[in-house]
Amino acid sequence: MVASKGSNWPEGRAPEARYCGEEERLSVLATYGGQDLVGDPELEDIAGFAAKLCEVPMAMVTVVEAEHQRFLAKTGLDAETTPRPTSFCAHAMLGAEPMVIPDAREDERFEGNALVTGEPHIRFYAGQPLISPEGAPLGALCVIDTKPRAEGLTDLQRQGLAVLAQSVMRRLGQRRLGRHVNLTLEKSERELRRMVDSVPGIAWRADDKGNFTYVNARWKELTGIEPPTTTEEWKVAIHPEDWDGSLAKFLTAVETNSLFEDEWRLRMSDGSYRWVQSRAMPVITEGQPTSWFGTVIDIDKAHRLSEARDLLAGELSHRIKNIFAVVSGLIALRSRNRPEAKEFADDLSSAIRALGTAHDYVRPDDGRGADNLQGLLEDLLAPYEGAKGERVHIKGDDVIIGSRAATPLALIFHELATNAAKYGALGNHDGKVEIEIRQPCGEEDEVCVFWRESSSCEDKREDGEGEGFGSRMLRMAIEGQLGGRFSRAFSDDGLDVEIAFPLASLGH
């Protein structure tokens, strides 16, 4: 359709008419973020090809804003914008077909236009409308010549201009979608940050170089200082006594991409310190650098309560040890002038010493520090080792024991050792005791201990004799307290005892 003297407008439609309200049109136009596409290489190529296709010196991709016409891409023209009242494209965008002006000086709508009477001296114009999917006119892909062209555009040029306009809209649509995605992500991130800023603890994010890219608002609220951007900048907020140790742990975690967890004191805005728990997890994505997310949670109240409990437990432990010593002293004192009670007193004192050893395992932080069955046996049987430590041999699996199991275990093996010293292998010059620990043994959830005595001398115990106090105590501790079972049998050179405990009964 070739227009002249206004003939290209459908009947009843003036140039000021809109396919949608102007406010709505501008709202749709804003979703494309047009200014961000100024000079876009793809649009520049389209404008350049349109000029060659139509054999004109000038071509533009335009969007029509409220006050101006903006050139997103152009060839043969230096201006970035022109006033909307002088815009040809403001008219072209309102049509369903390209608007073609063979000679602007002969068109009553444009003969006095400043772009016709002055630079760039438009004579020939053809503009293909750019219409959004909502039907909102955005602008036009136009070609311009300074010479009139009575024949207008060829069919090929018309078709090519329409195809190129579709390419422009695809590019604008890509930009619109990308902008929408970015705005959605930015909104989600703002909402996430607002949520993270509202949590009671400190939360942060860092890259694989140790640069902290985000620290929530809680940091400044608590410390009164600006959020750290590097690992070193945390130093001013961490107690000097805690800094080196915690830093070493964190650097090790970063180097090995493993969980970081530590407790240290955070300096508050008033200069006081509070205990916090710091945790960080690496986020590993294939093909991407590792990032880190971490939290710092106030545990000051719980930490100080735990310290107070430990102090009380330590004091109680010390007093219990003193009680053992006092009782042993009283036994020795009372039996000193009673020879007939010496054997009983020695047995009782030995049992109390065994309880003292067991107590070291109940409170390992204050005692020997061991937490396994082999360590307990070595401590209990140390008095029977002899000068060179060759009489007792302990081997087998390393089984962890809890504080509740330590006392009955100490009583069990103290009783076996005492009997061996009085009546069995440890009471003879060449006697030996071999102890083997197996786990699992028989049932998957059981621990077995084999106690084997051997000696060339005769065992003073008699097989099959009635169950005495020692045997009853063994049965009570093994079966009653630990839920286990035991058996014993005399061999040619001594005694074999087999004890089985449920693994769960030895734990914490």
Side-chain angles (χ1 to χ4, degrees):
M1 177 171 64
V2 178
S4 62
K5 303 289 184 179
S7 60
N8 79 307
W9 301 109
E11 184 178 356
R13 180 179 291 279
E16 294 76 20
R18 299 288 186 271
Y19 288 104
C20 61
E22 178 65 3
E23 184 176 348
E24 180 185 352
R25 188 190 76 82
L26 293 175
S27 177
V28 172
L29 179 62
T31 65
Y32 287 88
Q35 294 189 31
D36 296 336
L37 279 171
V38 172
D40 179 76
E42 187 174 342
L43 295 181
E44 291 284 358
D45 289 343
I46 292 173
F49 185 74
K52 292 178 181 179
L53 175 67
C54 297
E55 299 177 332
V56 295
M58 292 175 278
M60 302 90 179
V61 175
T62 71
V63 290
V64 179
E65 300 171 347
E67 303 294 336
H68 298 86
Q69 168 183 258
R70 185 175 301 278
F71 303 129
L72 302 184
K74 60 187 186 300
T75 183
L77 188 70
D78 293 330
E80 299 293 336
T81 63
T82 58
R84 180 171 175 172
T86 65
S87 169
F88 280 60
C89 293
H91 293 263
M93 70 180 185
L94 300 177
E97 298 292 334
M99 185 179 84
V100 180
I101 309 296
D103 188 346
R105 287 187 176 179
E106 300 297 323
D107 192 302
E108 62 185 12
R109 296 166 299 173
F110 303 108
E111 57 187 357
N113 190 297
L115 301 179
V116 176
T117 59
E119 292 292 338
H121 299 288
I122 298 174
R123 296 292 295 277
F124 169 73
Y125 172 92
Q128 179 72 34
L130 301 176
I131 309 298
S132 79
E134 298 90 344
L138 307 178
L141 168 64
C142 67
V143 292
I144 296 173
D145 202 342
T146 56
K147 299 175 182 178
R149 185 184 293 189
E151 69 280 8
L153 296 175
T154 66
D155 289 342
L156 177 63
Q157 290 169 340
R158 281 177 174 272
Q159 183 180 1
L161 208 59
V163 171
L164 291 175
Q166 291 175 359
S167 297
V168 170
M169 287 308 302
R170 276 196 295 271
R171 179 67 187 108
L172 293 179
Q174 291 172 355
R175 172 59 188 168
R176 184 190 199 185
L177 177 61
R179 190 166 181 268
H180 173 72
V181 170
N182 288 338
L183 290 173
T184 301
L185 290 176
E186 289 173 4
K187 180 181 178 182
S188 297
E189 186 168 352
R190 285 195 303 270
E191 292 176 350
L192 178 60
R193 289 196 176 196
R194 281 197 296 269
M195 181 186 72
V196 174
D197 283 342
S198 68
V199 301
I202 295 169
W204 54 264
R205 178 177 62 199
D207 62 21
D208 61 324
K209 302 294 191 303
N211 300 310
F212 288 80
T213 56
Y214 172 72
V215 180
N216 73 342
R218 190 63 174 159
W219 168 274
K220 192 169 184 179
E221 291 174 8
L222 293 175
T223 66
I225 58 178
E226 292 300 319
T229 58
T230 65
T231 304
E232 185 66 24
E233 290 178 10
W234 282 72
K235 186 174 183 179
V236 296
I238 297 178
H239 196 286
E241 295 177 2
D242 304 333
W243 167 251
D244 290 336
S246 190
L247 176 63
K249 288 182 181 180
F250 180 67
L251 293 179
T252 299
V254 171
E255 184 178 346
T256 57
N257 280 338
S258 58
L259 171 69
F260 164 76
E261 187 169 10
D262 196 17
E263 293 180 6
W264 40 265
R265 286 162 287 182
L266 177 69
R267 189 179 189 276
M268 312 304 289
S269 58
D270 61 1
S272 64
Y273 285 92
R274 293 184 67 84
W275 281 98
V276 297
Q277 182 186 61
S278 180
R279 301 182 83 249
M281 285 286 294
V283 179
I284 303 172
T285 304
E286 186 176 355
Q288 299 294 326
T290 300
S291 58
W292 288 82
F293 289 90
T295 57
V296 179
I297 305 298
D298 188 319
I299 59 167
D300 191 75
K301 184 176 180 180
H303 192 281
R304 296 187 188 280
L305 181 59
S306 177
E307 284 184 331
R309 287 175 175 171
D310 286 344
L311 182 62
L312 177 60
E315 178 64 20
L316 289 174
S317 176
H318 178 70
R319 293 189 181 190
I320 290 171
K321 294 285 283 187
N322 285 344
I323 290 172
F324 287 150
V326 169
V327 172
S328 293
L330 287 173
I331 293 171
L333 182 64
R334 294 287 183 165
S335 64
R336 183 173 302 167
N337 298 318
R338 297 181 181 179
E340 73 280 5
K342 185 178 185 306
E343 183 179 356
F344 173 77
D346 289 344
D347 285 348
L348 189 56
S349 293
S350 179
I352 290 173
R353 285 195 296 273
L355 289 174
T357 299
H359 185 71
D360 290 338
Y361 286 78
V362 174
R363 293 288 303 162
D365 291 340
D366 299 330
R368 306 175 194 275
D371 60 354
N372 59 79
L373 184 53
Q374 283 202 30
L376 176 63
L377 290 172
E378 288 170 0
D379 288 341
L380 287 171
L381 298 172
Y384 306 97
E385 281 280 9
K388 297 181 179 179
E390 74 283 356
R391 305 196 66 187
V392 178
H393 181 220
I394 303 170
K395 64 180 182 179
D397 299 313
D398 191 16
V399 178
I400 303 300
I401 61 173
S403 58
R404 293 184 179 179
T407 298
L409 286 171
L411 292 174
I412 291 165
F413 292 105
H414 169 263
E415 180 65 21
L416 289 173
T418 299
N419 284 336
K422 284 184 178 182
Y423 313 113
L426 295 180
N428 301 319
H429 69 282
D430 63 345
K432 294 182 180 181
V433 173
E434 182 177 296
I435 304 170
E436 182 183 0
I437 304 169
R438 292 183 194 171
Q439 197 279 315
C441 172
E443 300 294 334
E444 282 293 321
D445 59 350
E446 281 191 339
V447 177
C448 290
V449 180
F450 299 92
W451 175 287
R452 299 185 181 97
E453 299 179 27
S454 61
S455 174
S456 61
C457 300
E458 181 181 358
D459 195 293
K460 297 176 184 178
R461 291 166 292 198
E462 294 183 9
D463 191 8
E465 65 181 2
E467 187 173 64
F469 173 77
S471 298
R472 290 197 301 273
M473 192 197 72
L474 279 176
R475 189 174 304 281
M476 179 185 69
I478 295 171
E479 298 177 355
Q481 292 182 266
L482 296 176
R485 63 183 189 277
F486 80 104
S487 63
R488 60 182 180 177
F490 289 94
S491 61
D492 292 339
D493 59 352
L495 174 69
D496 292 342
V497 179
E498 179 179 342
I499 308 173
F501 304 104
L503 183 60
S505 69
L506 302 185
H508 293 277

